[in-house]
């Protein structure tokens, strides 16, 4: 029970916003400030819930210097939701997302760190195909359509690229696909849809990475633009929970659309970003699922280094 001198107000609009979008440490700091509680009082209330946490740890948590990870610390986070009069699971959800897990506690499909750890494999596969770092192409526009089937699997994706050559002689593009955990890249299929044809394909079973050449059939000159489309037929893993696009450098416009089968619609979707492997996920924004098309989308006028994705929760 809070003392009469301590605030127990309904969450402000600002607090409500950070509870939805995070990150965890900002939401915790805002919740404590909204209640007017010094950290010593927070510690006292936690001890009355049978949880021991030091004032220094609480300070680190709300600064983002450390994150609660041990079982006792996670018990403290749940107790804080009650002490600070927050919705159930509100802080736990933000903590889970910043730790690269879905809101329901399942591992996220692709944490930024896992994508970085797969970079060595990707570099090896690209080297086998004689691909340079940038391939001589600059992306002006990139639209991806991801399809989730009735079994909740990543059935496939279709990509539409608009590129410009920044040196002479460019005649191909290297497509990269990261399958969901448990996928079988050897059973996937790359389909050339427009202004290209499929060349050599390489994959790595352990990381679920597939790399494929898309041949233009013409050599571009510096400054030439080119449009092409291709698809990857997947459907080889289990429940899909998010789709992540990683960009190593600034690029052009990017649009991501995730389309769900009418027989398997998620309970909610949200956009997220992450600027580095060590940073928490941020930029959370709830996304509506359109009624007739069963899809959610994001549009970025200019893609920035880091990752951008859409995550969703199953019932």
């Amino acid at each position: 029970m809070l003392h009469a001198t301590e605030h127990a107000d309904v969450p402000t609009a600002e607090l409500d916003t950070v509870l939805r979008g995070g990150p965890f440490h900002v939401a915790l700091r805002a919740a404590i400030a909204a209640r007017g509680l010094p950290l010593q009082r927070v510690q006292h209330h936690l001890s009355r819930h049978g949880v021991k946490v030091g004032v220094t740890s609480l300070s680190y948590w709300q600064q983002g210097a450390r994150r609660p990870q041990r079982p006792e610390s996670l018990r403290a986070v749940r107790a804080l939701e009650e002490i600070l009069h927050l919705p159930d699971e509100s802080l736990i959800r933000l903590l889970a997302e910043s730790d690269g897990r879905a809101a329901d506690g399942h591992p996220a499909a692709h944490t930024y760190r896992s994508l970085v750890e797969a970079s060595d494999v990707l570099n090896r596969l690209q080297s086998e195909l004689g691909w340079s770092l940038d391939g001589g192409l600059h992306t002006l526009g990139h639209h991806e359509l991801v399809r989730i089937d009735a079994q909740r699997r990543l059935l496939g994706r279709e990509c539409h690229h608009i590129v410009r050559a920044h040196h002479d002689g460019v005649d191909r593009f290297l497509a990269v696909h990261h399958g969901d955990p448990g996928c079988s890249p050897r059973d996937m299929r790359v389909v050339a849809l427009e202004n290209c044809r499929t060349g050599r394909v390489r994959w790595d079973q352990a990381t679920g990475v597939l790399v494929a050449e898309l041949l233009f059939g013409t050599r571009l000159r510096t400054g030439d633009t080119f449009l092409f489309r291709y698809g990857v037929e997947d459907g080889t893993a289990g429940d899909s929970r998010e789709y992540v696009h990683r960009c190593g450098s600034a690029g052009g416009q990017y649009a991501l659309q995730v389309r769900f089968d009418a027989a398997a619609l998620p309970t909610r979707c949200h956009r997220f970003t992450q600027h580095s492997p060590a940073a928490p996920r941020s930029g959370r924004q709830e996304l509506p699922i359109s009624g007739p098309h069963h899809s959610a989308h994001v549009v970025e006028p200019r893609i920035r280094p880091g990752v951008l994705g859409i995550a969703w929760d199953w019932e």
Side-chain angles (χ1 to χ4, degrees):
M1 179 180 294
L2 298 179
H3 290 262
T5 55
E6 297 171 358
H7 300 291
D9 300 330
V10 175
T12 63
E14 180 180 355
L15 175 57
D16 204 28
T17 298
V18 294
L19 283 175
R20 289 197 307 269
F24 167 81
H25 70 279
V26 174
L28 176 61
R29 185 168 64 240
I32 292 173
R35 301 294 171 261
L37 289 170
L39 293 183
Q40 289 81 359
R41 292 301 305 164
V42 175
Q43 182 191 38
H44 174 71
H45 287 303
L46 284 170
S47 66
R48 296 179 63 179
H49 280 71
V51 182
K52 293 183 179 181
V53 177
V55 171
T56 301
S57 293
L58 290 171
S59 178
Y60 283 156
W61 291 357
Q62 68 171 1
Q63 293 172 27
R66 292 181 185 171
R67 291 183 301 172
Q69 293 180 321
R70 295 182 299 106
E72 180 77 0
S73 299
L74 297 180
R75 282 185 58 212
V77 173
R78 294 188 185 277
L80 284 168
E81 293 172 348
E82 181 177 344
I83 293 165
L84 300 174
H85 289 241
L86 302 177
D88 290 346
E89 301 290 318
S90 55
L91 291 178
I92 284 290
R93 176 180 57 79
L94 292 175
L95 184 62
E97 289 168 359
S98 70
D99 198 32
R101 300 181 72 84
D104 58 8
H106 288 81
H110 297 299
T111 64
Y112 197 155
R113 192 172 302 278
S114 72
L115 294 176
V116 171
E117 289 171 351
S119 294
D120 288 343
V121 171
L122 179 58
N123 291 338
R124 174 176 59 80
L125 297 178
Q126 290 175 329
S127 178
E128 289 179 10
L129 297 177
W131 185 252
S132 63
L133 183 62
D134 66 2
L137 296 170
H138 176 70
T139 299
L140 301 178
H142 181 191
H143 173 217
E144 288 192 273
L145 170 62
V146 175
R147 293 174 288 123
I148 308 298
D149 67 12
Q151 286 73 47
R152 301 180 175 181
R153 301 173 303 182
L154 195 164
L155 184 62
R157 53 187 272 261
E158 180 180 316
C159 296
H160 186 177
H161 285 269
I162 306 171
V163 297
R164 174 181 286 131
H166 56 78
H167 65 66
D168 292 341
V170 180
D171 64 353
R172 60 179 178 154
F173 177 83
L174 218 61
V176 178
H177 178 73
H178 289 267
D180 281 337
C183 70
S184 177
R186 69 175 68 247
D187 296 318
M188 299 176 190
R189 189 166 69 98
V190 180
V191 184
L193 298 173
E194 188 171 9
N195 296 337
C196 61
R197 62 183 177 85
T198 305
R200 295 171 293 173
V201 179
R202 298 288 186 273
W203 63 80
D204 179 76
Q205 186 67 33
T207 58
V209 173
L210 177 145
V211 177
E213 277 185 321
L214 296 170
L215 307 174
F216 298 160
T218 184
R219 292 185 177 273
L220 305 181
R221 295 174 298 179
T222 301
D224 284 351
T225 57
F226 196 74
L227 288 76
F228 62 97
R229 288 192 306 125
Y230 72 92
V232 178
E233 299 300 326
D234 191 335
T236 63
D239 284 8
S240 186
R241 298 178 181 276
E242 65 181 29
Y243 184 80
V244 177
H245 172 74
R246 182 188 178 195
C247 185
S249 59
Q253 184 186 74
Y254 176 70
L256 170 61
Q257 179 183 7
V258 180
R259 180 180 297 157
F260 301 93
D261 190 282
L265 297 179
T267 56
R268 63 174 185 167
C269 290
H270 70 265
R271 164 198 186 273
F272 65 87
T273 59
Q274 190 175 356
H275 301 301
S276 72
R281 289 187 173 185
S282 59
R284 181 187 171 92
Q285 176 187 356
E286 296 293 327
L287 299 176
I289 301 174
S290 65
H293 307 297
H294 313 302
S295 66
H297 76 277
V298 294
V299 177
E300 296 291 318
R302 183 171 177 78
I303 195 73
R304 294 175 174 81
V307 299
L308 168 70
I310 294 179
W312 51 91
D313 299 330
W314 300 113
E315 187 175 2

